């Protein structure tokens, strides 16, 4: 049954599910479950919510526009920030929620999450147990944030540096080495940019580049690329150090569950403040 035919239908959709608000989420079931857990941890009001993932950005934007114009009510829209938070300021509208980073994957897969996952899956404790994974993820985020700057430059010239299709953007993520993102695959991406005849004009300002490169450096990396990098590094570490095998989906599911299980303590301090602010805008 669809309630999207009229503003009144959208407004009353929550009643069908016995809740107060319907929350429309950009993305898939993983996005939906992640945001359900974020609400469970950070929302402290009396409202009850029904969450519904609606797929691509184009499917959730009509709800954003309806909330902004006040033509619909009793709904909440959640969208990925993408590069919107870099190109220009995001709209601060009650009941419109953006991810902290590029997408929910950037919010979910933090360094604190990596330590938590390894502790759960290997039973290990102590800082030395996690030094290797933290070094690898820090290096990967450093490399990927620099590539994000290049991608931004390309987009200023109506092109893309990183191929968006595919989890790894055609970059080679290496196994258990100091070099995480293979330099040869980076060179190939740069060569492809030149082959396409992209002339690097109209570069982003220093202030914008600095924002992309600030901590956490994985914040503006394509979400699916950061997810692929993070889960591979964690899986490699588990297999090498503890002889534990787990696939990327298993890591993702456990990480999402950890949001609720550890009451948001897998997030950075900046994220926690952001989520608290966003939850205060819900009414």
């Amino acid at each position: 049954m669809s309630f999207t035919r009229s503003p009144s239908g959208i407004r009353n959709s929550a009643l069908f599910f016995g809740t107060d608000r319907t929350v429309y989420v950009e993305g898939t079931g993983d996005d939906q479950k992640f945001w359900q857990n974020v609400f469970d941890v950070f929302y402290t009001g009396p409202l009850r919510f029904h969450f519904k993932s609606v797929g691509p950005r184009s499917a959730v934007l009509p709800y954003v526009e309806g909330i902004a114009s006040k033509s619909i009510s009793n709904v909440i829209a959640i969208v990925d920030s993408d590069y919107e938070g870099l190109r220009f300021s995001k709209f601060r509208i009650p009941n419109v929620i953006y991810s902290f980073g590029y997408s929910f994957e950037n919010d979910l897969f933090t360094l604190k999450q990596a330590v938590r996952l390894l502790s759960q899956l290997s039973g290990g404790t102590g800082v030395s147990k996690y030094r290797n994974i933290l070094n690898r993820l820090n290096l990967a985020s450093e490399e990927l944030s620099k590539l994000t700057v290049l991608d931004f430059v390309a987009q200023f010239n109506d092109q893309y540096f990183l191929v968006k299709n595919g989890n790894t953007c055609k970059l080679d993520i290496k196994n258990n080495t100091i070099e995480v993102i293979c330099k040869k695959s980076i060179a190939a991406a740069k060569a492809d940019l030149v082959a396409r005849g992209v002339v690097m004009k109209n570069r982003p300002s220093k202030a914008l580049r600095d924002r992309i490169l600030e901590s956490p450096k994985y914040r503006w990396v394509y979400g699916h690329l950061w997810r692929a990098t993070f889960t591979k590094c964690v899986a490699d570490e588990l297999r090498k150090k503890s002889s534990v095998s787990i696939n990327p989906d298993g890591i993702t599911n456990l990480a999402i569950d950890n949001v609720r299980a550890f009451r948001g303590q897998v997030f950075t301090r900046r994220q926690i403040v952001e989520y608290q602010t966003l939850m205060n805008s819900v009414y």
Side-chain angles (χ1 to χ4, degrees), residues 42 264-265 267-277:
F42 294 104
Q265 294 307 305
F267 297 135
T268 66
R269 290 181 181 179
R270 288 179 66 191
Q271 279 178 265
I272 290 172
V273 171
E274 177 75 3
Y275 293 144
Q276 290 170 336
T277 301

Side-chain angles (χ1 to χ4, degrees), residues 25-26 50 54 58-59 64 94 109 141 145 169 176 189 211 224 240 243 245 248 257:
V25 184
E26 176 184 352
H50 172 73
V54 295
S58 59
V64 175
F109 295 121
S141 61
S145 66
C169 298
N176 296 314
R211 280 204 66 197
H224 51 81
K240 180 180 180 182
S243 299
S245 295
D257 288 342

Side-chain angles (χ1 to χ4, degrees), residues 124-255:
T125 58
V127 174
S128 60
K129 178 79 174 178
Y130 310 115
R131 186 171 290 123
N132 185 61
I133 186 68
L134 293 177
N135 286 342
R136 291 198 78 216
L137 287 173
N138 273 315
L139 180 58
S141 61
E142 178 84 25
E143 294 171 335
L144 291 173
S145 66
K146 291 177 181 177
L147 297 183
T148 298
V149 172
L150 289 176
D151 188 70
F152 224 81
V153 171
Q155 289 195 34
F156 267 73
N157 295 273
D158 300 319
Q159 293 283 345
Y160 289 93
F161 169 62
L162 295 172
V163 178
K164 293 190 71 172
N165 295 330
N167 289 336
T168 62
C169 298
K170 293 187 177 181
L171 296 176
D172 180 21
I173 304 171
K174 301 187 75 173
N175 294 326
N176 296 314
T177 61
I178 296 300
E179 178 191 27
V180 183
I181 310 300
C182 178
K183 287 184 173 61
K184 288 184 178 180
S185 63
I186 296 173
K190 291 179 179 178
D192 178 65
L193 196 67
V194 173
R196 283 185 272 138
V198 179
V199 179
M200 293 300 194
K201 296 186 257 185
N202 303 317
R203 297 171 184 265
S205 66
K206 181 180 183 302
L208 185 52
R209 293 197 304 274
D210 289 346
R211 280 204 66 197
I212 297 172
L213 295 171
E214 71 181 0
S215 183
K217 293 185 180 298
Y218 54 80
R219 182 177 180 181
W220 301 110
V221 175
Y222 285 146
H224 51 81
L225 175 57
W226 178 241
R227 176 178 182 166
T229 303
F230 181 98
T231 55
K232 182 169 179 56
C233 286
V234 168
D236 285 349
E237 186 74 6
L238 284 167
R239 186 165 49 250
K240 180 180 180 182
K241 297 290 182 63
S242 305
S243 299
V244 174
S245 295
I246 184 169
N247 62 36
D249 287 343
I251 293 172
T252 299
N253 291 334
L254 181 55

